[in-house]
Structure formats: C-alpha cells, structure tokens
Amino acid sequence: LKDARVWLMMFQYGACFGTELVMNNQLATHFRTYFQMRAQDAAALAAAFGLMNIFARSLGGLASDKMFAKFGFRGRLWAQFLVLFLEAIFLFAFGCVTHAHSWYIALAAVVFFSLFVQMAEGTSYGIVPFINPKQLAVVSALVAAGGNLGAVIVGANFYDRVGDGLWPFRLHAAYVLLWALATFSYYWPEHGGMFFGPWKSKDAGSDKDTASEDGQEDTYSPKPPQSPAKAGAPAEPPIAPEEIPEELCAEEASADPSQVFHRCVSA
C-alpha cells in the first residue's frame, strides 16, 4: 500500500471494471425511462453492452502484449492510456444522445463504449505484474477490489445525486478521463514511463516480464564435485596381494577370479 502505483491502478481499474458494474445497473433503466422504450427493447439494447465482454477484455490484453513487443514497457502504458481515453470519449458521446436521435445511434455509442471499457480491463492487468512482482497476488487482489470501489464511487456521486437523464453519463466520462490522464504519472526505475526511459542500466534492470522488483535476477551455479585428491584427502595406498589373509580368501576360490581380490579386501 506504500506504492502509489498500486493506488493509481486501483482507481484506474475502478474507472473500467467499476464502470461496467454501473452500466449493468443503469443502461436498461435509462433506455426505458429516458427513451420511453418497451422493457424488452430496453433490455436488448442494454444487453449489447455485456455481449462485448465475450472478446473485448482478451482483446485489451492482446493489444497490451503487442504494444509491449513493439515499443517495450512504455507500449503497455500507452495502451492503457488510449483505451481509457477512448472509453471516456464514447461514454461522453453516449451521454449526448437525446430524444432527437434514433435508437441505433445510442446503440452504436454503447457498443464502442463497451468495447473500450472491457479492453481497459485487459490492459490494466497487462501492467499489474510489473507493479510489485514479489507481491503479485496481493496487488492483483487490491486492484480487483478497486473495481468494486470505483462502482460505489461513481454510482453514489453521479447517478444517485444527479437527477438529469444525461448529465450523470457526462460527469462519469470526465471521471474516467481524469484517471486516463493519470497514466502519465506511472514510472518504473527499471522500465521507465510513457515519455522517459529507465534510469537504471540494463544490468540493474530489464524490460522483461520476469524481471524482479529490484532488477536483479536470482542465479544459482552449483560447484562441480571435487575428487578426494583435489579436496586434499589422502589417497589410500593399494593393498598388496600378499597381505590378504589366506583363510578369508580360501572360501572365494570358486568365485569370479576378477572379483576375488576386491571381495577379500572388503571382508
């Protein structure tokens, strides 16, 4: 919790996943009351928002990976900024669709708005593993909780308090835009930020997904085993054949001649 990047990602995830939760509660009611639609038609238009979740979230993760492959770590940050920015744009556009417009204009705005909402969820978790790799499970849980927190903040401050039919969506768009612009403040000493490269050398840190928090990789190089002679242990002198007691070797007469000497010595 001492890392400001954790808090920033929590609120950014609240601006996308929290938005999804709010829209699941608001869209059907908005279409029915504001546009005076039948319940079946309003539910069908609202369902278009949820249907984008089939592929759009994975598309956001794929876009983050492609940007990372082409531009390095800053590509992930730019992907995060762009999808949140476009989410805010289309949310504001939906908030400007009035009674004078046809229903398919509202549907188009909802489809594009939902596309970038779900993609932002994927790009967010493209960044999460870099925040604190040693505490990845904790960071992931906190970011997920930030999504629920964002839904509470948006619902309580915009949709419950503002009585106008369209202004809650416009204010919500401004809220999302705020957290989109906050992406500029991300910075990792070993990875850099959107506009500046890392200040650590490549030896101290790298842009790999598997890099540790302090940029150092744990290596283990076992030492080769040493023979007793190299380790300083004195070698045992060979036992002369005449020193072997005859009574111990007498019973070995029928054994393999090549093994008689060694078995007698061990006895």
Side-chain angles (χ1 to χ4, degrees), residues 7 16 43-44 53 62 80 108 129 133 136 160 162 172 179 193 197 206 211 216 228:
W7 288 97
C16 52
N53 213 354
L62 180 62
Q80 175 81 344
L136 179 57
D160 292 345
V162 181
H172 189 176
W179 292 113
S206 65
Q216 297 178 352

Side-chain angles (χ1 to χ4, degrees), residues 119-133:
M119 287 186 65
E121 296 170 10
T123 58
S124 294
Y125 272 90
I127 298 174
V128 165
F130 292 87
I131 295 178
N132 191 333

Side-chain angles (χ1 to χ4, degrees), residues 108-154:
V110 165
V111 168
F112 284 101
F113 164 50
S114 178
L115 173 67
F116 293 110
V117 168
Q118 321 297 344
M119 287 186 65
E121 296 170 10
T123 58
S124 294
Y125 272 90
I127 298 174
V128 165
F130 292 87
I131 295 178
N132 191 333
K134 295 181 179 179
Q135 300 292 336
L136 179 57
V138 177
V139 174
S140 299
L142 289 173
V143 171
N148 298 317
L149 176 62
V152 174
I153 293 174
V154 169

Side-chain angles (χ1 to χ4, degrees), residues 9-23 49 80 83-84 87 113 116-124 147 150 172 175-176:
M9 181 55 69
M10 288 174 61
F11 282 102
Q12 284 193 329
Y13 198 65
C16 52
F17 182 71
T19 297
E20 178 184 353
L21 297 179
V22 171
M23 291 301 109
F49 182 89
Q80 175 81 344
V83 294
L84 283 173
E87 174 192 340
F113 164 50
F116 293 110
V117 168
Q118 321 297 344
M119 287 186 65
E121 296 170 10
T123 58
S124 294
H172 189 176
Y175 177 82
V176 174

Side-chain angles (χ1 to χ4, degrees), residues 49-107:
F49 182 89
L51 288 175
M52 302 300 292
N53 213 354
I54 296 176
F55 69 93
R57 186 179 300 189
S58 300
L59 184 61
L62 180 62
S64 180
D65 291 342
K66 291 294 185 181
M67 293 285 283
F68 176 77
K70 189 170 184 179
F71 301 105
F73 181 72
R74 70 177 58 190
R76 293 192 186 274
L77 299 179
W78 276 103
Q80 175 81 344
F81 166 73
L82 289 174
V83 294
L84 283 173
F85 180 78
L86 291 173
E87 174 192 340
I89 294 299
F90 282 101
L91 176 54
F92 186 83
F94 177 73
C96 294
V97 178
T98 65
H99 301 289
H101 299 92
S102 302
W103 63 268
Y104 54 82
I105 301 233
L107 176 61

Side-chain angles (χ1 to χ4, degrees), residues 6 21 32-33 54 61 154 162 190 222 239:
V6 176
L21 297 179
R32 178 170 172 77
T33 58
I54 296 176
V154 169
V162 181
E190 66 274 23
I239 301 176

